[in-house]
Amino acid sequence: MIGLVRPPTRLVLAVCAFGLAFDLAGLPALAQTAPTPGEARDDGPTLPIPELRTGDGALGAPEAAARDVPPSDVAYAAFQRGYYLTALDLAKPLANLGDPAAQTLLGEIYERGLAVPQNPEEAARWYKSAAEAGFPEAQFRYALMLLEGIAVTRDAEKAREMMKKAAEAGLPMAEFNYAQLLVEASPASGFQEAVSYFRSAAEAGIADAQYALAQLYSVGQGVEKDEVEARRWLRSAALARFDIAEIEYGIWLINGRGGPARMDEGFRFLLRAARKGNAIAANRVAHLFKDGLGTTPDVAEAAKWAIIAKRIGNSDPVLDDFFRGLDPDQQKAALEAANRFRPS
């Protein structure tokens, strides 16, 4: 199944499913000495990470009326403030009159089961109606249902058509998903057509697309290879807390790949991912503490993270030997510290 990205309300972070995603166990090793930065330029500014628009803000009904806000936006305002039954009551008559924004809102309420029982069939009915009326967000959501066969008969061709329409209307998550559909349909040639959609979604702040674009630039797939540009997009995805990007960007910073080496900053990105319970990041952090790269050498922390990494699936003979070389009191303290660890 292709790695789909859904709306922010129930976002499923997805590594691109087109065969470029790194095997985490095979991420590059950490450099043992600081590399020479060379002539690579520094990282650019971070792009903003906006949420997908689902309404015009939390306007109350009186304010909305005073500003001539469309009735469907009043329903959205209630929805955004958590008044789901009020939103439902406001949207239903509008939806029955053919308002696609209200129909899409009803679809989301029924799909997520907000103040009403979940009803994917009813959600699909409203999404379909709004999608056929040309409403991009409904096209996107209905396309997801068609791709997955949720409450509707699976129809990949129709899903692709709907996703394309939503993407061409400029909906960022539709752009990212449509790019993946292009690559899935044509692994040999789909990248070149997909790049513009990945880029547009990345520029809109979709972390999955930022990471995808970084991968494309890092290997020269669909674009000219450019590790400086790859690092720039990795940074954006990492700052958006995309786990794999945090790990990879941290390693690029330490190794000086695509730009100047910044070991202390690389350490911070890896530590952040490790604290979430990522086994690869925990392994790398153990090495950094052990070798004093990007941080002050700390035997106790190195031993703790070595244990954590091993427990969550990343065995490492080097770290095993390191742990065995500690005295019994150090081993005991590390085990106790690892036992207290809880992913955050």
Side-chain angles (χ1 to χ4, degrees), residues 51-62:
E51 289 191 0
L52 179 67
R53 178 189 180 280
T54 54
D56 283 332
L59 299 173

Side-chain angles (χ1 to χ4, degrees), residues 12 104 141 150 154 170 211 242-243 245 262 299 329:
V12 178
T104 303
R141 292 171 184 262
I150 296 176
R154 190 174 183 279
Y211 180 68
F242 194 94
D243 288 10
R262 293 180 179 171
V299 170
D329 288 342

Side-chain angles (χ1 to χ4, degrees), residues 268-284:
R268 289 195 298 271
F269 274 98
L270 286 163
L271 183 61
R272 189 165 75 180
R275 285 173 172 164
K276 296 182 208 175
N278 185 284
I280 300 299
N283 172 278
R284 300 303 197 262

Side-chain angles (χ1 to χ4, degrees), residues 14-38:
V15 178
C16 297
F18 46 63
L20 282 177
F22 287 93
D23 176 357
L24 289 182
L27 278 172
L30 299 169
Q32 297 304 304
T33 57
T36 302

Side-chain angles (χ1 to χ4, degrees), residues 4 20 24 51 74 108 116 149 164 201 211 242 271 281 310 312:
L4 301 171
L20 282 177
L24 289 182
E51 289 191 0
V74 180
E108 182 166 356
V116 294
K164 181 180 182 181
Y211 180 68
F242 194 94
L271 183 61
K310 188 166 186 174
I312 55 181

